[in-house]
Amino acid sequence: MLKILVVDDHAIVRSGLVMLLNGKHDMEVVGEAAAGEEGIQAARMLTPDVVLMDLSMPPGMDGLTATEKLKQLMPDMAILILTMHDDDEYLFRAIHVGASGYILKSAPHEELLTAIRSVAAGDAYLYPTATKRLMNEYMERMKSGENSGPYESLSEREKEVLARIAKGFSNKEIAEQLVISVKTVESHKSNVMEKLALKTRPELVRYAAKKGLLNFE
């Protein structure tokens, strides 16, 4: 039995989803939430298999922010974005913050059920036209050379900062070597970690070692 948490600020939408999902032999709605922060609290308490997350919710915490924070707290949580936004920006941002899937509220019921089962099984799910958009984006990046790896997305200055961090220099020492401010070094470091999807300094060092950057002078 799949346990599902529904996070949506529209009570009518939540009621409809509860009726639909509870009517299936392999699904059960274990909780509801009307806002992002409430959804995070409910997910931590109920540990559902899948969180159905709306994007547009009351001021304070939208669905994208809630998804990002929830994935930080519970990395294995499957989050399926269910929204009316058929928009590339929302789609790419949802994927970036860790959503397991993205489906439109206008989708047929059977497609929603398939999406829920897919993300619960550890797979990703995107509605058909979204998949085509991602493929087109990938092909464009391949043509422009942008898809050769995350390291290539770093600026030359960011590469310099990464290499010096890997060699054990402090932010102050790096700032002195590159004749920039400590604040600028911290900004470059933050950009590097985001682009490489790394979270700690040791991870940066290991990455740099694999890239052969420890001989940087």
Side-chain angles (χ1 to χ4, degrees), residues 46-209:
L46 300 170
T47 61
D49 297 301
V50 178
V51 176
L52 277 183
M53 182 76 74
D54 187 23
L55 290 183
S56 301
M57 287 188 282
M61 185 181 294
D62 61 18
L64 286 171
T65 303
T67 296
E68 182 174 25
K69 290 184 177 297
L70 188 52
K71 290 296 288 188
Q72 291 171 351
L73 293 169
M74 308 176 74
D76 296 329
M77 179 66 65
I79 303 175
L80 176 62
I81 301 297
L82 176 61
T83 179
M84 62 181 182
H85 293 295
D86 185 6
D87 183 277
D88 286 355
E89 180 180 354
Y90 282 111
L91 170 64
F92 296 146
R93 287 175 62 194
I95 294 172
H96 178 72
V97 298
S100 304
Y102 193 103
I103 187 171
L104 301 179
K105 289 183 177 179
S106 59
H109 289 171
E110 287 305 317
E111 184 179 345
L112 174 59
L113 299 175
T114 297
I116 291 173
R117 293 179 180 120
S118 294
V119 299
D123 298 324
Y125 186 91
L126 297 176
Y127 62 101
T129 55
T131 303
K132 183 177 180 180
R133 289 178 189 175
L134 285 180
M135 288 300 297
N136 290 339
E137 177 75 7
Y138 175 80
M139 294 305 296
E140 286 300 318
R141 290 187 178 185
M142 286 292 290
K143 290 177 183 178
S144 65
E146 293 179 17
N147 219 58
S148 52
Y151 180 74
E152 281 67 27
S153 70
L154 301 182
S155 67
E156 289 305 312
R157 181 64 87 188
E158 288 168 348
K159 291 177 181 178
E160 291 175 336
V161 170
L162 170 60
R164 284 174 166 80
I165 290 174
K167 293 190 70 173
F169 292 111
S170 67
N171 289 350
K172 183 178 179 181
E173 290 171 329
I174 296 172
E176 292 173 350
Q177 293 170 11
L178 298 179
V179 195
I180 56 179
S181 69
V182 172
K183 185 175 181 180
T184 299
V185 172
E186 293 173 346
S187 177
H188 285 315
K189 176 184 173 184
S190 177
N191 290 339
V192 169
M193 295 181 78
E194 181 177 353
K195 290 180 179 180
L196 300 181
L198 302 174
K199 297 181 179 180
T200 66
R201 195 179 184 99
E203 288 181 344
L204 279 177
V205 174
R206 287 195 294 271
Y207 181 90

